[in-house]
Amino acid sequence: QGCTQKYIVKNYFYYYLFKFSAALGEEIFYITFLPFTYWNIDHSVSRRMIIVWSIVMYIGQVSKDILKWPRPLSPPVVKLEMRTNAEYGMPSTHAMAATAISFSFFLATTNQYKYPFELGLVAAFVFSTLVCLSRLYTGMHTVLDVIGGALISAVLLMLLYPAWDTIDHFLLTSPFCPLFSIVVPLVLCYNYPKLDYYRPTRGDTTTILGAAAGATVGFWLNNQYAAPAYTSKSFQPGFPLVASTMVLVLARFFIGILVVLLTRWVMKSAVLGALGYRYQFPIRNLEARRRLEVEVPYKFVTYSSVGFTATVIVPLLHELLGLM
């Protein structure tokens, strides 16, 4: 798993297109697009995407470690990525995430904003298709992995869609929401399927559930003590994009991302330092950081702080700076 085949790029258009498309199913996309939607488009759309994304990704990650289907053999396949090669293949969580995010965004906005239905449907299909094809191009999945991931995500989305309003109402109004949002993901993380040897799926799952937990607590807190969550002062698509609006949108985004990344760095250092002191290991010890009693609290606390910061601290900062 530590070596890779040498290869020669013959078509740079496809190479960069699918390398970029693959990144649309990774943390760099989640940590930019989902907060951007919350800060600049609509709170309810962002809430629905985050809930669907976390549920779909949890089921996908667990399914991998239960089914234990290997990834394509290399050779003959040339693999352009190494980190995800340590995981099993079926289903493709890139395909699941891309399908869930693109179509939940489409379904959440189609009844709220005026734009051609066909355009939204095509955009969602193109986005998910590019990500799915990127997993084949980079050699990380078989066709069956990708189709299976997309179909599982589509079924889950169809099952969740009728309950969207009910789930949303509970998460915004129930006094039990903060406790539910923290305890349930933690129980799922600590009871993740046992692995024959270490794979990054448990850590990635904890990251996703932690971020969703922090964001959900933020949604509830905003609805209880700040502006009602169903009303957004954010930019609404459909109006002319004047220069001042674009400056405002970009200012919100870059300031927000800076605060989010700073939160992640500070919390990661603080939590790892505390756990290192508790369990007596140097924070650079990778093997120690992979232990259950270290990995779960370290990633859960770090990324729940990121989710909370994105939904509570950053909007407060935007308002303080006059960017709302």
Side-chain angles (χ1 to χ4, degrees), residues 262-281:
L262 181 63
T263 300
R264 184 177 66 166
W265 176 75
V266 170
M267 293 305 299
K268 178 180 178 180
S269 301
V271 176
L272 271 180
L275 290 170
Y277 177 79
R278 167 67 177 82
Y279 294 107
Q280 297 298 305
F281 68 87

Side-chain angles (χ1 to χ4, degrees), residues 70-293:
R71 290 184 183 268
L73 293 177
S74 177
V77 169
V78 177
K79 296 187 177 181
L80 306 186
E81 298 176 14
M82 289 309 301
R83 181 184 178 276
T84 53
N85 195 34
E87 301 176 4
Y88 290 112
M90 178 68 172
S92 166
T93 46
H94 272 70
M96 293 183 72
T99 303
I101 289 177
S102 59
F103 282 94
S104 61
F105 181 83
F106 166 63
L107 291 172
T109 57
T110 187
N111 294 325
Q112 296 193 43
Y113 304 111
K114 293 181 179 179
Y115 65 85
F117 177 87
E118 295 78 8
L119 178 63
L121 184 62
V122 169
F125 181 78
V126 169
F127 179 92
S128 56
T129 300
L130 280 175
V131 176
C132 290
L133 290 177
S134 75
R135 308 317 289 158
L136 302 178
Y137 182 86
T138 55
M140 302 312 297
H141 285 285
T142 65
V143 174
L144 186 59
D145 294 343
V146 170
I147 293 176
L151 287 178
I152 292 171
S153 189
V155 170
L156 289 172
L157 191 56
M158 286 190 293
L159 293 175
L160 289 169
Y161 180 70
W164 267 11
D165 291 339
T166 303
I167 295 171
D168 198 42
H169 180 74
F170 169 79
L171 295 178
L172 290 177
T173 61
S174 172
F176 301 106
C177 172
L179 182 64
F180 177 86
S181 300
I182 297 297
V183 172
V184 171
L186 271 176
V187 169
L188 293 176
C189 292
Y190 275 108
N191 290 277
Y192 194 83
K194 293 284 191 295
L195 306 177
D196 44 0
Y197 59 90
Y198 180 81
R199 296 181 183 276
T201 43
R202 184 183 64 202
D204 292 345
T205 303
T206 306
T207 294
I208 293 165
L209 294 185
T216 303
V217 172
F219 298 150
W220 180 86
L221 197 64
N222 286 335
N223 191 61
Q224 298 298 313
Y225 301 105
Y230 288 110
T231 61
S232 174
K233 299 178 184 178
S234 301
F235 160 71
Q236 304 292 318
F239 291 96
L241 291 179
V242 295
S244 60
T245 302
M246 289 302 299
V247 170
L248 197 65
V249 167
L250 292 174
R252 288 178 189 166
F253 175 71
F254 285 114
I255 290 173
I257 287 298
L258 181 63
V259 174
V260 164
L261 293 178
L262 181 63
T263 300
R264 184 177 66 166
W265 176 75
V266 170
M267 293 305 299
K268 178 180 178 180
S269 301
V271 176
L272 271 180
L275 290 170
Y277 177 79
R278 167 67 177 82
Y279 294 107
Q280 297 298 305
F281 68 87
I283 60 174
R284 295 186 182 276
N285 186 328
L286 186 59
E287 288 302 316
R289 287 164 55 173
R290 289 175 171 178
R291 287 155 42 188
L292 175 67
E293 66 271 21

Side-chain angles (χ1 to χ4, degrees), residues 62-70 88 90-91:
V62 169
S63 298
K64 281 186 178 184
D65 288 323
I66 291 176
L67 294 174
K68 297 183 178 181
W69 286 22
Y88 290 112
M90 178 68 172

